[in-house]
Amino acid sequence: MSTGKKLYEGKAKIVYATENDREYLTYFKDDATAFNAQKKGSIENKGSINCTISSALLELLGNKGIKTHFLDQKSEREMLVKAVEIIPLEVVVRNIAAGSLCKQTGLPEGQKLAFPLVEFYLKNDDLGDPLLTIDRLTLLNIATPEQISLLKEKALKINQYLIEFFASCDITLVDFKLEFGLDQEGTILLADEISPDTCRLWDVLEQDTEKRVLDKDRFRRDLGKVESAYQQVQKRVLTQIEKLKNN
């Protein structure tokens, strides 16, 4: 598919204009970053793997009634999406204690949380993507109270669908990051991607705390075998999607 003007280039993707002003083309890169781009590298075939996983999961959620920006996967690395204005928030849902939650609270890694924790982070690399309280979020006028409530509601619903789906793939959904955007009618749509870059995923079949990691933590923590972990997620996701289609 021919691309138009480059509209935006982030750490993992490039967004291009298309002939239709209501549609964008997103290109997934192999570049890998961690700790707000303090650590940089590349993961072979990451772009095509993440594009394929994201396309499958966004389509799955769309079939569940979640409105998303996904339209079509045009090639291994290219996704056609609805044009949205991204809300500058990262909406994080946590089911099990890991990562920054453990560092900031002292909770032991692997402890199941009493309830899914929804957090809002300001999408701003220069500020280190800080965690926002609801009052700070309101003060910054990033979203209305109604939109904040809707984002949390959508995040929790998506979490429930993804927990169940990943469980069927023998994968535990520890936590994950979502981004949302507004289309030209002002409707909130799930945007960005859902992949091992944005989710913390543990292999149910593996007890070793390092070997079980199937996500970007393998890159963050120098655990090795990053591409094979991503490939394993892709294989399990696509296999389960195919089973669902045949039922």
Side-chain angles (χ1 to χ4, degrees):
M1 181 174 180
S2 61
T3 58
K5 177 184 176 182
K6 182 194 292 187
L7 300 176
Y8 168 81
E9 181 168 1
K11 295 188 285 286
K13 296 182 288 295
I14 305 173
V15 179
Y16 294 96
T18 67
E19 296 173 352
N20 185 339
D21 65 1
R22 289 179 171 268
E23 297 177 355
Y24 293 154
L25 188 70
T26 302
Y27 177 86
F28 286 67
K29 303 190 295 183
D30 286 345
D31 296 355
T33 63
F35 312 116
N36 286 319
Q38 293 178 32
K39 180 177 183 178
K40 298 180 180 180
S42 179
I43 302 171
E44 188 176 356
N45 297 318
K46 179 176 83 79
S48 60
I49 292 171
N50 282 356
C51 184
T52 300
I53 293 172
S54 293
S55 296
L57 293 178
L58 289 172
E59 186 173 16
L60 174 75
L61 290 171
N63 291 335
K64 296 284 189 180
I66 302 293
K67 294 181 178 179
T68 82
H69 73 159
F70 176 77
L71 291 172
D72 191 19
Q73 184 176 1
K74 304 304 290 187
S75 72
E76 282 190 350
R77 294 175 178 268
E78 294 176 317
M79 183 190 295
L80 187 67
V81 299
K82 296 176 184 176
V84 298
E85 180 182 352
I86 293 293
I87 299 170
L89 289 174
E90 295 181 351
V91 184
V92 174
V93 184
R94 302 181 184 275
N95 299 304
I96 295 171
S100 62
L101 182 62
C102 295
K103 293 177 183 177
Q104 294 168 1
T105 65
L107 287 170
E109 183 179 77
Q111 179 174 311
K112 186 175 181 179
L113 304 183
F115 55 87
L117 179 64
V118 179
E119 299 176 326
F120 296 93
Y121 292 80
L122 180 63
K123 190 173 162 62
N124 187 313
D125 286 343
D126 292 338
L127 298 177
D129 300 332
L131 175 64
L132 296 177
T133 63
I134 295 299
D135 283 347
R136 284 189 179 187
L137 213 166
T138 304
L139 182 68
L140 292 173
N141 200 32
I142 294 172
T144 67
E146 293 77 18
Q147 287 175 329
I148 295 169
S149 178
L150 186 58
L151 289 174
K152 182 174 182 179
E153 179 185 323
K154 286 179 177 291
L156 287 172
K157 189 174 291 185
I158 291 166
N159 182 49
Q160 193 55 49
Y161 289 141
L162 290 181
I163 284 176
E164 294 172 2
F165 176 77
F166 276 120
S168 71
C169 301
D170 289 323
I171 295 173
T172 298
L173 179 61
V174 177
D175 57 44
F176 61 103
K177 172 184 75 74
L178 298 173
E179 293 185 23
F180 295 87
L182 298 170
D183 67 11
Q184 294 182 17
E185 284 69 47
T187 302
I188 294 178
L189 303 180
L190 174 62
D192 197 46
E193 65 179 288
I194 302 175
S195 73
D197 266 14
T198 63
C199 301
R200 189 170 269 116
L201 305 168
W202 290 349
D203 188 349
V204 171
L205 306 176
E206 180 58 67
Q207 297 302 311
D208 185 280
T209 57
E210 291 188 355
K211 291 180 180 179
R212 71 184 178 185
V213 176
L214 295 174
D215 55 73
K216 199 165 73 170
D217 271 351
R218 301 205 69 84
F219 172 76
R220 290 188 188 97
R221 296 160 54 188
D222 296 316
L223 298 179
K225 299 182 178 179
V226 185
E227 184 190 357
S228 63
Y230 278 50
Q231 289 173 334
Q232 185 64 228
V233 175
Q234 177 180 247
K235 180 181 179 181
R236 295 191 196 184
V237 165
L238 296 184
T239 298
Q240 190 59 29
I241 290 285
E242 195 60 33
K243 287 181 181 178
L244 292 174
K245 287 180 178 178
N246 292 332
N247 286 342

